[in-house]
Every structure is written in structure tokens, then in C-alpha cells.
Amino acid sequence: MGPPGKRDEDWFTRVYAADYGQVVKYGQRRLADMEAAAELAQEVFVIAWRRRREVPDRSLPWLYGVARRLLANEWRARRAAPNVLPITDAGLLQKPGSPGADATVGVADLRAALATLTDLDQEILRLVGWEELTVAEAAQVLGCTRTTAAVRLHRARRRLNDAMSYRPGSPAQQPVLASPRKAV
């Protein structure tokens, strides 16, 4: 049983050339280094070749979905070794006063706010914001309907906005300690 008519090596070469860089960038934004991101992309394209009959014409969201599942499997496996962190904030190590430090502070604030959100909220925001997918394409990556993805995106944006608005030192948001009144 050979490959389907249009899904031959030429097809794969075209998909690889068109989408490999985007899949590597997807991995870079979620992993510690370029080498790990390249390995992720290689695994994604091995799966794409094996399952080429399932790959839609607009292949990038499908490839992102494969990458997401591979990362989820890896992170689940690493739970047994909690001292290993799959994602780093290496870009946040820039010294204040250096070129781009102001932009880094904004990125640091955004990353800190993102870190307070659930994994699903973070993923939908990354897919639409960083990966520049449409809501329908993000839904394909997440394995849900377009409507569900739109609702998740709306709620995630609202929670991110709330997290970005939170200022730990502001008096309005400081907890007030009170002792119960004694009955007289």
C-alpha cells in the first residue's frame, strides 16, 4: 500500500519547506533551547510523514496540534522529575539600562501575568497571539469546536487583562486582617 496520489515526497518536501521554520519557532517559544525546538520539529514532521493522509491542505495548524501533543506527553513524563523545567525565560535576563530593557520589562510583566493563568488559557493566547492562528485554526490545534475556542479565548483574554491590572502593592487589593467582634 503506497502513499496516496498527491501525498508523495514532493508534497512532503513542499510542506516541510513551507512550515518547518514555523514549527521550530513554536517550539522555541515553549522550550529551553533551539536544539530542543529543532528536535520537536523533526518529530512533528516524522509524524506528518507517517500520517500524511490525515494532514489537511492548510497543514500548519495540524502540525502545531501534533507539536502540542508531543510537548504535553513530554511534560507529563517529566512530572516524575520536578527539578527539570521545560520552559525558561532566558529572554528576561537582559540587564536594566541596556538596549531593549524597557521592552523586556513589558515582556516580563506579560510573562508573569501569563504564568498566573491555566495551561489552557496560556495555550489559546499563544496560538492566537504568538502563532497568529485564526480562532478556527486554534480550535483545530486544541481539538475543539470554533465556538469553544472563541469562548476560551475571550475568557483567557479577560483573565490575562485582570492579571496584568493586578498590582500587588496597591491598597485596594491588600487583604485586611480583622478579628471577629466579641458579643457584648
Side-chain angles (χ1 to χ4, degrees):
M1 186 183 218
K6 295 184 346 185
R7 302 298 169 101
D8 57 3
E9 287 183 39
D10 291 334
W11 167 84
F12 183 78
T13 302
R14 284 190 306 277
V15 169
Y16 185 87
D19 296 334
Y20 178 79
Q22 295 299 318
V23 174
V24 169
K25 288 178 185 176
Y26 177 93
Q28 281 179 302
R29 288 186 279 267
R30 289 159 177 81
L31 297 168
D33 61 23
M34 177 63 177
E35 206 170 290
E39 285 181 29
L40 173 67
Q42 290 168 1
E43 288 181 54
V44 167
F45 280 96
V46 166
I47 292 169
W49 174 252
R50 278 193 229 136
R51 297 176 59 192
R52 61 190 172 271
R53 292 182 181 147
E54 300 170 32
V55 179
D57 291 336
R58 171 95 167 98
S59 59
L60 191 58
W62 188 90
L63 295 170
Y64 283 162
V66 171
R68 180 176 184 269
R69 286 184 287 284
L70 286 171
L71 286 172
N73 290 342
E74 179 66 24
W75 291 332
R76 274 192 293 274
R78 288 186 180 191
R79 281 190 201 153
N83 60 339
V84 179
L85 297 175
I87 299 177
T88 64
D89 289 326
L92 302 179
L93 299 177
Q94 207 167 14
K95 293 186 171 97
S98 63
D102 290 338
T104 301
V105 171
V107 170
D109 290 343
L110 177 61
R111 286 190 184 250
L114 267 173
T116 66
L117 302 179
T118 65
D119 290 340
L120 190 56
D121 282 352
Q122 290 180 39
E123 188 63 11
I124 188 80
L125 290 168
R126 285 179 181 137
L127 289 170
V128 173
W130 290 352
E131 311 305 339
E132 299 178 0
L133 296 182
T134 65
V135 174
E137 291 168 339
Q140 182 182 355
V141 172
L142 297 172
C144 63
T145 66
R146 187 209 173 285
T147 304
T148 301
V151 169
R152 287 179 183 171
L153 178 61
H154 172 74
R155 290 177 179 166
R157 283 177 173 159
R158 189 181 65 228
R159 286 190 276 266
L160 179 63
N161 189 37
D162 291 346
M164 292 290 292
S165 299
Y166 176 73
R167 298 287 179 244
S170 67
Q173 299 197 359
Q174 287 289 345
V176 177
L177 298 176
S179 58
R181 289 187 173 184
K182 293 181 182 176
V184 179

